[in-house]
């Protein structure tokens, strides 16, 4: 144990001795006062490392904005010329109807507006004013067939009206309404001459309703001739209005097509 401690003690004494020699004296001199210990050195403040800059996400390009369509300003609307007097209106009426591909044979003679008003006024009451409509008379005569001693209207008679129905279906209802609106004052004046309590527009709608509502059963129908003209043997059919009986003579298919045209014209009138 002494062998281990002795070198350590000797080492310590050597260090103490050397310290005194360095102080310049053989004896140790105590300083008058011990110098204050150096102030503790504060550790350097931690410098916050700046966050690495975050690059912003690249901005998405804005979708291209379509330019607003340039709508040209409407030009001035030319006023329609004044309507002529009713008694001098035939040229205007024909000119307006020519734009509709209206058959010229449907506007013969003079007084077209007055005759049209008479036809409309009668139709809205279920009647047919035959005088202004003689141009629509079929070119072939009415035919009958005999079965078991009884007389019937030949169903082939319906083909006599095919041309008329095709001509009506070819008319554009919206264009027809525009012409009607243009000529309406002339037709209203004609209605006033007839003493009608309603105007031409109301009467036209009523006439179209009569056509649309027609529902007499299809034939063949038995006929009788008590005098000169043939009549329907069935009292329910014979007592129907002249307009309904005329629609019955068109045949089932033609009547249905004409009713469709009447419905489209009524719709065009309502949407004006």
């Amino acid at each position: 144990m002494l062998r281990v401690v002795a070198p350590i003690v000797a080492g310590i004494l050597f260090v103490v001795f050397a310290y005194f020699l360095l102080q310049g004296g053989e004896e140790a001199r105590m300083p008058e006062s011990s110098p204050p210990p150096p102030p503790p050195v504060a550790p350097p403040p931690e410098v916050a490392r700046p966050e690495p800059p975050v690059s912003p996400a690249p901005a998405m390009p804005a979708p291209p904005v379509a330019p607003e369509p340039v709508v040209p300003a409407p030009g001035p609307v030319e006023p329609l010329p004044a309507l002529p007097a009713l008694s001098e209106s035939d040229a205007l009426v024909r000119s307006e109807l020519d734009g509709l591909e209206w058959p010229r044979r449907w506007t013969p003679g003079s007084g077209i507006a007055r005759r049209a008003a008479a036809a409309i006024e009668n139709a809205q009451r279920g009647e047919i004013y035959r005088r202004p409509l003689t141009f629509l008379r079929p070119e072939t005569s009415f035919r009958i067939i005999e079965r078991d001693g009884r007389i019937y209207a030949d169903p082939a008679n319906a083909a006599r009206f095919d041309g008329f129905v095709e001509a009506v279906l070819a008319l554009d209802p919206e264009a027809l309404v525009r012409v009607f609106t243009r000529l309406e004052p002339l037709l209203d004046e004609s209605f006033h001459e007839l003493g009608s309590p309603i105007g031409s527009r109301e009467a036209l709608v009523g006439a179209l309703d009569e056509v649309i509502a027609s529902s007499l059963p299809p034939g063949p129908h038995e006929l009788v001739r008590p005098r000169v003209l043939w009549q329907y043997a069935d009292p329910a059919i014979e007592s129907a209005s002249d307009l309904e009986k005329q629609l019955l003579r068109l045949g089932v298919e033609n009547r249905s097509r004409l009713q469709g045209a009447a419905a489209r014209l009524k719709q065009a009138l309502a949407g004006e």
Side-chain angles (χ1 to χ4, degrees):
M1 181 70 171
L2 291 174
R3 290 180 182 180
V4 176
V5 174
I8 295 174
V9 172
I12 294 172
L13 293 175
F14 173 79
V15 172
V16 173
F17 179 77
Y19 174 77
F20 282 114
L21 288 179
L22 291 173
Q23 296 298 321
E26 296 176 358
E27 296 179 6
R29 292 181 298 180
M30 295 298 294
E32 296 181 358
S33 62
S34 300
V41 179
E46 293 186 2
V47 180
R49 295 184 180 181
E51 295 277 341
V54 179
S55 300
M60 296 296 292
V65 179
E68 292 288 336
V70 178
V71 180
V77 179
E78 292 291 333
L80 294 173
L83 293 174
L86 178 59
S87 58
E88 301 173 357
S89 63
D90 288 336
L92 172 66
V93 174
R94 285 195 177 93
S95 175
E96 293 288 341
L97 293 177
D98 283 346
L100 301 177
E101 300 183 2
W102 186 275
R104 271 296 182 104
R105 70 179 184 276
W106 291 7
T107 53
S110 60
I112 302 173
R114 286 188 172 99
R115 287 187 287 119
I120 295 172
E121 198 279 331
N122 278 263
Q124 59 97 19
R125 292 185 285 107
E127 299 178 5
I128 296 179
Y129 183 27
R130 300 184 184 279
R131 180 181 174 187
L133 301 178
T134 53
F135 61 91
L136 295 178
R137 184 176 299 160
E139 297 179 357
T140 57
S141 58
F142 181 78
R143 292 185 297 181
I144 58 174
I145 55 177
E146 184 176 355
R147 293 177 183 171
D148 301 327
R150 295 184 175 183
I151 305 298
Y152 297 87
D154 189 346
N157 287 325
R160 302 187 303 156
F161 301 99
D162 288 351
F164 166 73
V165 174
E166 290 294 338
V168 171
L169 294 177
L171 298 173
D172 179 5
E174 293 184 358
L176 190 58
V177 168
R178 287 195 294 271
V179 172
F180 172 82
T181 302
R182 168 73 170 140
L183 303 178
E184 191 170 2
L186 297 174
L187 295 170
D188 284 343
E189 185 177 348
S190 301
F191 267 74
H192 180 72
E193 289 181 351
L194 293 171
S196 174
I198 61 176
S200 57
R201 183 176 293 263
E202 184 179 348
L204 178 57
V205 172
L208 295 173
D209 284 339
E210 286 288 325
V211 173
I212 296 170
S214 179
S215 58
L216 290 179
H221 297 288
E222 185 180 359
L223 302 175
V224 294
R225 189 161 64 176
R227 295 184 180 84
V228 178
L229 300 177
W230 291 104
Q231 297 179 1
Y232 291 102
D234 186 344
I237 297 178
E238 183 59 33
S239 61
S241 69
D242 290 343
L243 180 61
E244 279 198 282
K245 286 187 285 188
Q246 181 59 54
L247 291 170
L248 182 65
R249 297 185 189 105
L250 298 180
V252 175
E253 183 178 355
N254 279 340
R255 180 176 67 178
S256 177
R257 299 171 72 197
L258 196 62
Q259 286 175 322
R264 290 189 292 273
L265 179 56
K266 181 182 177 182
Q267 183 178 7
L269 278 169
E272 187 188 20

